[in-house]
Amino acid sequence: MTDLARYRPRGTAEIQLPCPDLAPALDYFVGQLGFRIETIFPADDPTTASLSGHGLRLRLAPGEGEPGLIRLPCESLPAEDERVLIAPNGTRIVLVAADASFSMPALAPEFVLSRAAEAESGPGRAGMRYRDLIPSRLGGRYIASHITLPEGGPVADWVHFHKVHAQMIFCRRGWALLVYEDQGEPFLFSVGDCVLQPPLIRHRVLETSPGFEVVEVSSPALHETLADHDMALPTGRLDPARDFGGQIFHHGRAAATPWTAHGDTGFEVRDVGLSGASGGRISAEVLRPAAKDHLAIAARNVEFLLGFVLSGAASLAYQGHHGLAGADAFVIPPGEVWGLEHASKDLEFLLVTAPA
Ligand SMILES: [Fe+2]
């Protein structure tokens, strides 16, 4: 492999597009698309020009090859069939939304049972192992992942953010050092803690213990992760009430959240407080048996309901009986009645819901 650094690249790199006839292409790129000419030659009969515009530098030059495709972000867009422009040299210019956030697909509800023992994890971003808890993604509306970092230490993460409707992370094992935009110094995220990541908040995972494990739920399933190369974290500001698209950052600490009676079900609950922070978009709670070893859940007006066994074992009563062990997960379709039976004394399970 060429060690490019030896040659000390300098100046502005250009993307070269073949252009057999410079004059009409130049008229189009400059007159229609708003590029400006940086260099042009030869002076008497120009065949080659360098242009800059929209953050891009191009070189139009004679030669063979694909005429290329330019994605041009715009604040507003013409009708769908008018979003592709074609320059005289054949280059296609595709107009795209400048801040395409995300689209929310319709919910395709189904019962899902994901057993840890049968699961395979695939490699994900920044050295993490991802286990997809809902392969169907419920039509693309939700994604839930069991993420593990087998090896601890500094994490090869960078300052980034997500374009999402709702996103939460729950710590099952180990700890991580996290830092979020305008939320002060890096903090320890440990077992039983939950974080609400409001849309667009810049953040970074700095370090984890070995065997760090989280459950992450995001909506919609397909959303963009974007790097922010310009922001350093921590920002030096502490603004816990800062609004991010109608949501605020929240770190629910298990150690600071008492167990309370879960109605009269004989179970106890620890509500880590996401509902308020997310403006009602998502909530998370941990349940465990107290006086009883079985739990009946009435039909609730939620469009999303994920259970994840943090520890212990139980039997899920829904369309039959299904044995559940640690790290098993299930999704119950909206408006259904379900329950748990034969809960072991050490059962703890995470319940993540989103209202209909
Ligand atoms: Fe992230």
Side-chain angles (χ1 to χ4, degrees):
M1 208 171 78
T2 306
D3 179 9
L4 188 59
R6 281 176 62 182
Y7 305 105
R8 287 175 288 160
R10 72 185 186 95
T12 306
E14 298 178 327
I15 291 178
Q16 181 162 319
L17 300 175
C19 182
D21 187 2
L22 185 62
L26 211 51
D27 278 353
Y28 189 82
F29 276 88
V30 174
Q32 301 292 313
L33 300 180
F35 282 80
R36 48 175 216 194
I37 298 171
E38 298 290 347
T39 65
I40 187 162
F41 75 94
D44 55 339
D45 183 14
T47 58
T48 302
S50 289
L51 311 176
S52 66
H54 310 290
L56 183 65
R57 183 136 160 166
L58 298 176
R59 182 178 172 90
L60 300 176
E64 297 294 302
E66 288 294 320
L69 183 153
I70 295 171
R71 282 168 50 88
L72 183 59
C74 299
E75 281 189 10
S76 62
L77 292 175
E80 204 145 342
D81 56 353
E82 292 170 16
R83 291 181 194 169
V84 181
L85 315 174
I86 300 178
N89 67 324
T91 300
R92 289 190 299 151
I93 297 94
V94 181
L95 310 185
V96 297
D99 50 20
S101 45
F102 53 78
S103 60
M104 278 292 272
L107 185 75
E110 68 163 341
F111 170 54
V112 181
L113 189 57
S114 169
R115 294 187 195 279
E118 297 161 4
E120 282 180 25
S121 295
R125 209 178 53 77
M128 309 179 187
R129 309 271 313 163
Y130 276 71
R131 174 180 148 219
D132 189 351
L133 300 178
I134 315 175
S136 75
R137 311 276 163 87
L138 305 179
R141 206 163 164 90
Y142 289 93
I143 183 170
S145 311
H146 178 202
I147 305 168
T148 54
L149 271 89
E151 292 171 32
V155 176
D157 197 9
W158 56 88
V159 176
H160 69 277
F161 57 103
H162 309 281
K163 290 182 173 177
V164 286
H165 168 73
Q167 188 168 51
M168 58 78 69
I169 311 172
F170 181 91
C171 179
R172 181 184 183 223
R173 283 187 180 150
W175 55 261
L177 201 56
L178 308 180
V179 62
Y180 283 81
E181 180 182 4
D182 291 354
Q183 309 302 319
E185 293 300 304
F187 63 88
L188 209 57
F189 178 58
S190 34
V191 177
D193 289 5
C194 205
V195 155
L196 181 83
Q197 293 192 160
L200 309 189
I201 192 170
R202 272 59 172 171
H203 57 280
R204 188 177 168 192
V205 183
L206 300 173
E207 189 181 342
T208 76
S209 69
F212 175 58
E213 280 187 37
V214 299
V215 175
E216 182 179 277
V217 175
S218 309
S219 175
L222 269 186
H223 57 261
E224 279 183 272
T225 294
L226 299 94
D228 187 334
H229 300 295
D230 301 322
M231 187 181 291
L233 293 178
T235 57
R237 286 185 298 274
L238 180 61
D239 184 4
R242 180 170 164 188
D243 181 282
F244 292 89
Q247 304 184 49
I248 58 170
F249 170 81
H250 179 72
H251 174 204
R253 292 170 179 80
T257 314
W259 291 96
T260 55
H262 183 252
D264 55 2
T265 60
F267 270 56
E268 289 181 329
V269 62
R270 187 158 66 197
D271 181 342
V272 277
L274 302 199
S275 187
S278 70
R281 289 167 180 84
I282 197 163
S283 70
E285 53 198 15
V286 179
L287 286 96
R288 69 179 185 189
K292 290 184 182 165
D293 74 345
H294 56 277
L295 174 71
I297 301 283
R300 292 169 64 181
N301 190 25
V302 293
E303 68 163 34
F304 178 75
L305 189 154
L306 171 84
F308 183 97
V309 178
L310 300 167
S311 62
S315 172
L316 171 66
Y318 178 77
Q319 293 183 356
H321 291 81
H322 315 275
L324 295 176
D328 286 353
F330 57 90
V331 172
I332 306 289
E336 297 283 283
V337 175
W338 61 282
L340 291 177
E341 297 171 356
H342 311 299
S344 65
K345 285 201 160 41
D346 60 344
L347 175 74
E348 280 191 17
F349 74 99
L350 171 69
L351 194 60
V352 181
T353 57

